[in-house]
Amino acid sequence: MGARPAGRARPRPYLHPVRTLGGTVVTELTPPSHRHHLGVSVAVAEVDGGNFWGGRTFIAGHGPAWLDNQGSQRHVRWLRRTDTELSQALRWDTIDGASLLAERRIIEARPLDDDAWALDFTFTLANVAERDLPIRSPAAHGRSGAGYGGFFWRAPSPGACRVSADVHGHRAPWVSVGGPAWTLVFAGGDPATRADRWFVRTRDYLGVGSALAWDAPLVLAAGESVTRRVVTVVADGELPDERAAAYASQLVS
């Protein structure tokens, strides 16, 4: 788990490498085309004008542009560290050092079968600024389909990938993606997360996220918080849809 800047990105915690039980790596770190993609992380394109995704910022009527607005997710302290659980407190600070959000992140790993395990990822963002904070995706500024922002998993880009269903921009209980020797099954772990839309990109790269805000901002009032939980099955080989659905039902019930 690291927090090293990538290119024009500022520090943020991430998980890499994440492996199947058979040892296959199912995350990708700072690929050449997207140096700000960091394995498994929480990344948001914009919080009140600050970029907590990395890379360029999308400007309505102009397009992507490099701005001096890169925020940082800074580790404050560990709340719990065991072989199967990590819990930490973080602060989301602007490029000028002002704190916008306080985060509590809980990551748990647990076994499922001989060829699969589950990564349970929960984060809570609390507004610590003395004003409303809008959380936006590029889609909220008019970039069609670019509703990313929130939990995001950058997977290796196989020559051909499997996707269980066309859920990009839609709500669904779960979605699975896979390469030649592995499968990931993503499921919303609570009602709020299941109400969010999925971001699934297979062109140019393979990435999956649960979107906090799609074509409209999510506005946090001063002192307000939001919690999201995504449970991911990490499996060797190809999982039939029936087995993927059974895992999703088991893990979020």
Side-chain angles (χ1 to χ4, degrees), residues 122-136:
T122 301
F123 64 95
T124 298
L125 301 175
N127 181 351
V128 295
E130 295 181 353
R131 63 184 184 279
D132 291 354
L133 293 180
I135 296 173
R136 298 185 181 93

Side-chain angles (χ1 to χ4, degrees), residues 18-26 109-119 181-184 233-237 243 247:
V18 177
R19 295 183 173 90
T20 68
L21 294 177
T24 301
V25 176
V26 291
R110 56 181 183 271
L112 293 175
D113 291 315
D114 291 341
D115 59 354
W117 64 281
L119 182 72
W182 52 269
T183 302
L184 301 173
V233 177
V234 181
D236 284 296
R243 190 176 173 197
Y247 275 137

Side-chain angles (χ1 to χ4, degrees), residues 1-3 13-17 40 75 78 86 88 90 105 107 121:
M1 187 171 184
Y14 60 86
L15 295 176
H16 176 81
V40 183
H75 173 82
W78 290 108
L86 295 173
Q88 63 181 145
L90 302 109
R105 186 175 302 186
I107 303 170
F121 195 114

